[in-house]
């Protein structure tokens, strides 16, 4: 019944939207949001097949944000350029406009054949191939997917406009009750390009997959009426609403009056600006990291000189065939990472055979209930709880102990066939008053984390103790350079030290 109501909701929204995106003007020039993409974004006069770009205007006030959908069916990043579609688009872009770019579905096609000749070379490098194009009859140098997307990014920036990369729409392909989360590695390549260029990235693939898995295969089949790649108008709204949800969480974001009544109804993904990573190589198992700012600080770009150790972990695990996906978010506790839905999103990405390293504690000692963050968990590892009226969310909530939340992570991971590894929180730079050693009693969380892991029979890495011992050996002066603030957040060299220590311990579990 719940999924049927949700399906009906999207249908009603589609009908309502038609009357709410009326053209009006207040004398100001609207921001133009251009779309470069393929058939999954293109506009169609066909309810059985509709791209998300065909309904996106319904979520914006046309006098504030005007959608200019240049997506074309059948195009890849390469042919969108070679056929001149990109040049026409970029010619019309002005400073302050937005250009969203989504390709990949057709880039895996043959590089050269007599039907479409649209494939790009895989990867992000500068490899190229000289061909005599069998379709056009002309010589052509074919480049990598990354080459074409990077050229688009560069030209948007040259226009002083804003590029946004969007991962692929979901294909209706299922295995073991899980829908495919992206064709090939295009989503990961787009994420890498966004991170390298410091631009926005929207993870449409995983967000939409979560929705379809909630709806279930039978209902999803009714949305993909034509084939497994193309959806109907309801599917277009599901993808469009997801994009709007992410746009609202980017920084800077659009003014609130940019949205129509339908757009106002879409919640904001407040953490979209973080560009949280995705799986890079689907052929390898993945080590997920969940935790706080000591694992991943901010947007993981060294802002204020602060880095989390998870940003460098992959460097020290390079000899092990494993992806490292750092989904830690600053400011969260073991409690709020769950209640904020971040654990659910990370868990949905995991596959049997993966690993998840769990490190919380720094923020669990915060107030249980206040108007600022309301993130604290109850002390200890027992099963006590406390019901509060959350002053931040305005909702009633039952708050549990730190140990309870850790057990929740462990049991959920095991149920997925994922190996949980508990990590004790890294130490703060707090020295004992009578000696040149790090205070060992600065926190109870390392002991609690170890106790929970041992009781659950899962691996535990005492990063607190190992790093504290290393700080003792280095001494006060040397350790000072390992921190970017008073005592909590490490500098790049400090994060690299912690990552090296963590990698040495984690490798013994990843090699099994």
């Amino acid at each position: 019944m719940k999924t049927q109501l949700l399906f009906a909701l999207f249908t009603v929204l589609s009908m309502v939207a038609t009357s709410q995106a009326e053209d009006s003007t207040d004398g100001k020039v609207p921001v133009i949001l251009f779309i470069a993409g393929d058939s999954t974004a293109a506009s169609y006069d066909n309810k059985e097949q509709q791209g998300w770009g065909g309904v996106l205007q319904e979520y914006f006030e046309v006098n504030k944000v005007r959608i200019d959908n240049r997506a074309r069916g059948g195009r890849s990043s390469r042919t969108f350029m070679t056929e001149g579609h990109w040049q026409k688009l970029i010619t019309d872009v002005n400073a302050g406009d937005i250009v969203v770019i989504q390709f990949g579905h057709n880039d895996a096609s043959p590089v050269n054949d007599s039907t479409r000749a649209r494939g790009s070379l895989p990867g992000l490098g500068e490899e190229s191939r000289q061909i005599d194009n069998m379709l056009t009859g002309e010589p052509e140098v074919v480049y990598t997917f990354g080459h074409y997307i990077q050229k688009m990014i560069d030209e948007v920036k040259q226009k002083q406009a804003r590029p946004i990369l969007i991962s692929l729409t979901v294909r209706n392909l299922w295995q073991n009750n899980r829908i495919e989360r992206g064709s090939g590695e295009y989503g990961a390549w787009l994420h890498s390009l966004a991170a390298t260029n410091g631009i926005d990235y929207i993870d449409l693939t995983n967000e939409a997959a979560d929705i379809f898995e909630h709806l279930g295969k039978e209902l999803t089949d009714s949305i993909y009426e034509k084939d497994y790649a193309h959806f109907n108008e309801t599917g277009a709204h599901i993808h469009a609403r997801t994009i709007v949800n992410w746009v609202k969480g980017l920084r800077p974001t659009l003014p609130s009056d940019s949205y129509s009544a339908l757009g106002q109804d879409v919640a904001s993904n407040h953490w979209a600006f973080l560009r949280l990573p995705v799986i890079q190589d689907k052929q390898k198992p993945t080590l997920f990291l969940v935790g706080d700012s000591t694992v991943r600080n901010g947007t993981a770009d060294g802002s204020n000189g602060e880095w989390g150790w998870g940003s460098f972990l992959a460097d020290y695990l390079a000899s092990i065939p494993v992806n490292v996906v750092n989904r830690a978010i600053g400011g969260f506790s073991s409690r709020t990472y769950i209640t904020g839905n971040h654990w659910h999103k990370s868990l949905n990405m995991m596959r049997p055979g993966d690993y998840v390293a769990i490190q919380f504690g720094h923020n669990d000692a915060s107030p249980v209930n206040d108007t600022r963050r309301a993130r604290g968990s109850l002390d200890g590892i027992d099963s006590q709880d406390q019901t509060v009226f959350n002053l931040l969310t305005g909702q009633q909530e039952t708050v549990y102990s730190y140990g309870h939340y850790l057990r929740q992570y462990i049991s959920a991971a095991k149920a997925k066939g994922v190996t949980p590894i508990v990590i004790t929180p890294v130490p703060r730079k707090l020295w004992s008053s009578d000696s040149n050693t790090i205070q060992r009693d600065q926190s109870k969380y390392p002991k609690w984390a170890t106790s929970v892991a041992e009781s659950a029979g899962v691996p535990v890495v005492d990063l607190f103790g190992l790093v504290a011992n290393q700080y003792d050996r280095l001494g006060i002066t040397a350790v000072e350079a390992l921190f970017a603030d008073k005592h909590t957040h490490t500098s790049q060299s400090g994060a690299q030290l912690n990552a090296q220590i963590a990698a040495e311990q984690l490798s013994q579990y990843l090699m099994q």
Side-chain angles (χ1 to χ4, degrees):
M1 180 62 72
K2 183 176 181 180
T3 55
Q4 291 174 338
L5 289 174
L6 187 55
F7 177 73
L9 171 63
F10 284 117
T11 303
V12 170
L13 289 176
S14 175
M15 296 170 59
V16 171
T18 304
S19 64
Q20 292 183 337
E22 299 296 333
D23 193 358
S24 61
T25 180
D26 56 5
K28 297 181 180 179
V29 177
V31 171
I32 310 300
L33 190 155
F34 293 88
I35 301 173
D38 54 37
S39 59
T40 61
S43 301
Y44 293 95
D45 294 324
N46 180 357
K47 289 187 178 296
E48 293 182 357
Q49 179 182 341
Q50 182 60 273
W52 58 263
V55 301
L56 192 62
Q57 184 66 72
E58 299 175 20
Y59 294 85
F60 294 94
E61 293 287 354
V62 73
N63 63 314
K64 302 289 185 180
V65 177
R66 183 165 65 83
I67 306 301
D68 191 338
N69 189 5
R70 304 293 182 93
R72 294 292 182 272
R75 273 59 179 189
S76 63
S77 64
R78 164 192 165 193
T79 55
F80 196 81
M81 282 195 155
T82 58
E83 293 177 7
H85 303 296
W86 175 255
Q87 186 57 52
K88 291 177 182 177
L89 183 156
I90 199 65
T91 298
D92 293 338
V93 172
N94 294 305
D97 286 339
I98 299 170
V99 181
V100 297
I101 302 166
Q102 181 194 65
F103 288 101
H105 279 300
N106 299 316
D107 281 81
S109 301
V111 169
N112 200 12
D113 61 11
S114 59
T115 57
R116 293 188 173 182
R118 62 185 179 180
S120 60
L121 302 183
L124 301 176
E126 284 302 321
E127 298 85 1
S128 63
R129 183 189 304 175
Q130 177 76 48
I131 65 169
D132 291 320
N133 193 306
M134 297 171 63
L135 184 63
T136 66
E138 300 291 333
E140 179 187 355
V141 179
V142 180
Y143 298 94
T144 65
F145 175 75
H147 172 93
Y148 295 113
I149 301 298
Q150 184 64 58
K151 183 174 174 59
M152 294 180 189
I153 293 170
D154 291 341
E155 293 186 2
V156 173
K157 285 185 171 182
Q158 289 168 10
K159 284 294 193 87
Q160 298 182 355
R162 182 178 186 177
I164 300 176
L165 303 186
I166 302 182
S167 65
L168 302 185
T169 57
V170 175
R171 301 195 303 180
N172 188 30
L173 298 174
W174 295 73
Q175 186 175 8
N176 298 324
N177 297 317
R178 303 295 305 277
I179 198 167
E180 180 189 74
R181 289 178 177 258
S183 173
E185 299 177 56
Y186 296 100
W189 291 335
L190 288 167
H191 179 274
S192 294
L193 287 166
T196 300
N197 287 275
I199 63 175
D200 297 313
Y201 173 79
I202 294 177
D203 185 7
L204 178 61
T205 305
N206 284 297
E207 291 289 330
D210 286 352
I211 294 171
F212 289 122
E213 287 182 358
H214 174 72
L215 292 175
K217 186 178 185 305
E218 182 178 356
L219 192 50
T220 301
D221 286 345
S222 69
I223 294 171
Y224 286 78
E225 294 183 62
K226 182 180 179 182
D227 53 38
Y228 64 77
H230 301 97
F231 33 81
N232 60 22
E233 191 171 13
T234 297
H237 275 285
I238 290 175
H239 285 93
R241 286 175 66 88
T242 301
I243 290 170
V244 173
N245 167 262
W246 275 65
V247 167
K248 286 186 173 185
L250 300 178
R251 294 184 181 179
T253 190
L254 296 170
S256 59
D257 63 357
S258 300
Y259 302 95
S260 66
L262 189 61
Q264 297 285 355
D265 181 61
V266 178
S268 169
N269 178 349
H270 297 295
W271 306 101
F273 72 97
L274 292 176
R275 289 195 306 268
L276 291 174
V278 296
I279 296 172
Q280 293 290 319
D281 185 347
K282 295 178 182 178
Q283 304 306 311
K284 299 178 181 178
T286 299
L287 169 63
F288 289 86
L289 308 180
V290 298
D292 53 39
S293 59
T294 64
V295 185
R296 188 181 195 272
N297 192 279
T299 53
D301 58 1
S303 179
N304 298 320
E306 298 175 358
W307 290 92
W309 60 264
S311 293
F312 302 99
L313 185 65
D315 297 339
Y316 298 99
L317 293 175
S319 63
I320 300 176
V322 64
N323 301 297
V324 176
V325 175
N326 188 359
R327 304 285 296 188
I329 304 177
F332 283 82
S333 65
S334 65
R335 163 193 168 193
T336 54
Y337 195 84
I338 291 175
T339 59
N341 205 36
H342 300 295
W343 171 239
H344 176 72
K345 291 181 179 181
S346 296
L347 190 65
N348 281 349
M349 295 173 65
M350 299 178 195
R351 304 161 297 173
D354 285 343
Y355 307 83
V356 57
I358 307 155
Q359 185 207 271
F360 289 102
H362 280 288
N363 299 316
D364 281 81
S366 302
V368 169
N369 199 13
D370 60 10
T371 57
R372 185 166 176 262
R373 290 187 171 178
R375 61 185 180 180
S377 59
L378 302 184
D379 283 354
I381 61 175
D382 295 333
S383 298
Q384 71 268 29
D385 61 69
Q386 176 183 337
T387 300
V388 301
F389 181 79
N390 192 309
L391 297 172
L392 185 62
T393 66
Q395 302 292 323
Q396 183 171 293
E397 178 188 356
T398 301
V399 181
Y400 300 94
S401 71
Y402 172 74
H404 172 94
Y405 292 114
L406 286 191
R407 287 191 291 271
Q408 194 169 337
Y409 290 103
I410 291 169
S411 62
K414 284 184 172 181
K416 277 264 188 176
V418 174
T419 300
I421 304 171
V422 175
I423 313 285
T424 62
V426 292
R428 289 184 170 92
K429 186 185 63 181
L430 298 174
W431 299 95
S432 300
S433 58
D434 57 349
S435 66
N436 294 332
T437 60
I438 291 292
Q439 293 178 15
R440 294 311 197 269
D441 62 349
Q442 61 178 265
S443 173
K444 300 176 182 177
Y445 295 98
K447 293 181 180 178
W448 289 337
T450 300
S451 179
V452 169
E454 291 176 345
S455 297
V458 301
V460 58
V461 172
D462 183 17
L463 198 55
F464 178 94
L466 293 167
V467 172
N469 290 341
Q470 184 63 19
Y471 288 169
D472 291 348
R473 287 189 287 269
L474 291 171
I476 293 176
T477 302
V479 171
E480 193 66 31
L482 302 180
F483 281 80
D485 63 7
K486 185 176 181 180
H487 54 57
T488 302
H489 296 103
T490 48
S491 62
Q492 180 172 334
S493 58
Q496 288 171 328
L497 173 65
N498 293 347
Q500 183 177 11
I501 294 172
E504 290 171 353
Q505 300 300 310
L506 287 168
S507 60
Q508 61 184 306
Y509 304 112
L510 302 177
M511 294 293 287
Q512 292 179 357

